[in-house]
Amino acid sequence: MKLMKAFSGCALLGLCYAGVAQAEIPLLQRGNNTPYLNNLSLEVGGSVRGAYSNEMGSQDDGSRNHRGVDDGTRFRFRADYYFNDDWRLLAYYEVGTDVAHWFGDNRHVNGKGTDRRQLYGGVASKTYGKLTYGKQESVYYQTISKPLDYWVQDKKGQPAGGFGFNPNYDNGERSDGLINYENTFGDFKLLGEVMIPTRDVWDGSFIYRRGGGAGLAGQYSVNDDLTLGAAYTYQDVKIHRDGESNQKDFDQHMVGASVGWTPGQWHLAASVGYYKDYVPNNVDPDIDPSNYFVGNARSWEGFVGYTFDLPADWVSKIQPYAAHSSTRWSNFDQTYNYLGVVTRFPYRFSLWIERQFSNTSDNQPDVNKVRLRYDF
């Protein structure tokens, strides 16, 4: 707790500095002429996000769905040690926070007090690429989901949105025990990953364990405005009940494609995905482990927005947008449509106002959401 308080104080100082400086704050730059530290670079950055959410057609149940919340604040730290102009060692740490949790205000809690989003290290070369190990983003997320990770209530048509076991463990967004490699060859970026076995993770009475896996992805820049992406991952997953030996092995597969196009002031993006034995059966808590996953699923998402530059000192840009997200498996359908607008202010502040229109098999309500965001 003392360490967390110290970290929070440093972060707040960083916020004050970032407001008059740049996006990523350099704490120490390469070539600083300091003994033993001349080849070391240290940077800190982050995103502070506060939001208010209101579900339509329902009474205030005291949950975060009708409250102001910390909507994904995170801080990141990066260190690079250069051997020469080509080779360097690197380390990266990103922690998510929930301010309401720190103060014990359960009416506004949106998650854990702190959440280790990423923690990895490795070696990088301009010639031979980058190799890293630790908890980090999956190659599927980087090439398929991330280009659509843009609006406020996004990712609901992506594994990163949580329709799998848990995107923090099942490689939907990131995972422990990933060995990732990436390199760029002209206009093509190659990404690969190897998943080593992980620890047991509980989901009610079930225990989830990854035995191993691998993934391959690529992004191709057709030109400065148009980027195409594709990815495939496989992982062996074992499911059993707590205290029982009856275990079921699943071969999980994810395959997807994405496209991003930014001609002029326009921003358009879309993705499609197919998933085998990835979505849990959340209807019956007493099912046999062999029926834990519902089988096959598919999803697609789309986004379109247009940015207007504003000739004013206090506001710089405004972007109206529309988005769509849909996921289907078995006899279940969850479809969401979005209308929103983001207004950008000086010093990297932005205000997002969004309406989610829900059309789901379980009759989820529409949602209004407002988010104030500060990036540094």
Side-chain angles (χ1 to χ4, degrees):
M1 180 59 71
K2 291 182 178 180
L3 179 62
M4 196 64 236
K5 289 181 178 179
F7 161 74
S8 302
C10 293
L12 290 173
L13 289 175
L15 289 178
C16 297
Y17 177 78
V20 295
Q22 57 189 35
E24 208 80 13
I25 305 171
L27 301 180
L28 186 67
Q29 294 180 312
R30 184 188 180 193
N32 52 69
N33 296 321
T34 303
Y36 307 109
L37 301 178
N38 188 58
N39 293 321
L40 181 64
S41 171
L42 299 175
E43 293 180 335
V44 61
S47 180
V48 180
R49 309 179 184 189
Y52 179 82
S53 178
N54 184 36
E55 286 188 349
M56 305 301 294
S58 60
Q59 295 182 345
D60 186 350
D61 57 1
S63 72
R64 64 184 179 88
N65 297 324
H66 302 274
R67 292 285 189 273
V69 295
D70 186 322
D71 202 37
T73 295
R74 73 282 309 265
F75 302 99
R76 59 185 179 269
F77 303 87
R78 183 188 303 275
D80 295 275
Y81 186 85
Y82 293 83
F83 296 110
N84 49 50
D85 290 337
D86 190 6
W87 288 93
R88 61 187 171 93
L89 291 176
L90 63 96
Y92 182 85
Y93 176 54
E94 183 178 272
V95 58
T97 69
D98 188 338
V99 176
H101 191 283
W102 295 357
F103 291 100
D105 190 344
N106 294 327
R107 297 174 303 166
H108 301 272
V109 166
N110 195 28
K112 298 184 290 186
T114 58
D115 177 30
R116 188 186 67 190
R117 293 173 55 87
Q118 297 188 73
L119 177 60
Y120 63 84
V123 59
S125 164
K126 295 179 181 178
T127 305
Y128 299 102
K130 181 171 68 173
L131 182 68
T132 54
Y133 168 75
K135 184 174 186 179
Q136 54 192 312
E137 294 175 348
S138 68
V139 299
Y140 189 96
Y141 174 75
Q142 293 181 60
T143 54
I144 309 302
S145 303
K146 205 167 189 176
L148 276 297
D149 188 357
Y150 188 75
W151 63 98
V152 177
Q153 300 169 90
D154 56 13
K155 300 190 296 186
K156 293 186 178 180
Q158 299 282 356
F163 61 68
F165 171 78
N166 186 320
N168 213 23
Y169 298 101
D170 64 11
N171 213 37
E173 182 170 352
R174 52 188 176 264
S175 178
D176 289 307
L178 291 186
I179 302 173
N180 280 12
Y181 172 78
E182 67 176 62
N183 202 356
T184 301
F185 305 91
D187 295 324
F188 180 76
K189 182 179 181 180
L190 175 69
L191 303 94
E193 70 184 2
V194 174
M195 313 171 203
I196 66 173
T198 60
R199 60 184 174 85
D200 291 348
V201 181
W202 272 257
D203 176 27
S205 60
F206 288 96
I207 297 176
Y208 172 102
R209 179 191 304 160
R210 186 181 71 213
L216 187 65
Q219 283 184 317
Y220 178 66
S221 298
V222 180
N223 52 47
D224 292 341
D225 300 329
L226 181 61
T227 301
L228 307 176
Y232 168 77
T233 67
Y234 160 81
Q235 56 183 339
D236 168 46
V237 171
K238 308 177 189 301
I239 300 291
H240 69 277
R241 287 185 178 277
D242 188 16
E244 296 182 6
S245 59
N246 182 21
Q247 177 176 280
K248 174 61 178 178
D249 289 0
F250 293 91
D251 294 328
Q252 289 189 331
H253 301 266
M254 293 195 299
V255 60
S258 67
V259 57
W261 189 32
T262 55
Q265 304 291 89
W266 288 96
H267 181 179
L268 300 96
S271 71
V272 294
Y274 174 81
Y275 321 95
K276 178 181 180 294
D277 289 334
Y278 188 80
V279 179
N281 183 346
N282 293 320
V283 177
D284 184 2
D286 298 320
I287 58 173
D288 185 82
S290 61
N291 297 319
Y292 182 80
F293 293 106
V294 298
N296 303 328
R298 59 194 185 279
S299 70
W300 51 91
E301 283 193 331
F303 175 89
V304 57
Y306 187 87
T307 299
F308 297 90
D309 294 322
L310 301 178
D313 294 334
W314 62 275
V315 59
S316 57
K317 300 175 187 294
I318 186 169
Q319 183 192 57
Y321 62 85
H324 171 83
S325 174
S326 184
T327 309
R328 296 181 182 178
W329 62 86
S330 300
N331 297 319
F332 191 89
D333 176 14
Q334 59 178 29
T335 298
Y336 308 96
N337 292 297
Y338 304 88
L339 290 176
V341 60
V342 53
T343 306
R344 301 191 183 278
F345 305 94
Y347 306 108
R348 302 183 68 83
F349 283 94
S350 59
L351 178 66
W352 305 67
I353 303 174
E354 183 177 285
R355 172 67 179 261
Q356 172 186 288
F357 300 91
S358 306
N359 183 11
T360 67
S361 297
D362 56 353
N363 299 315
Q364 296 181 31
D366 295 349
V367 180
N368 293 321
K369 197 162 187 178
V370 179
R371 173 193 281 174
L372 180 61
R373 175 171 168 172
Y374 173 58
D375 298 297
F376 67 97

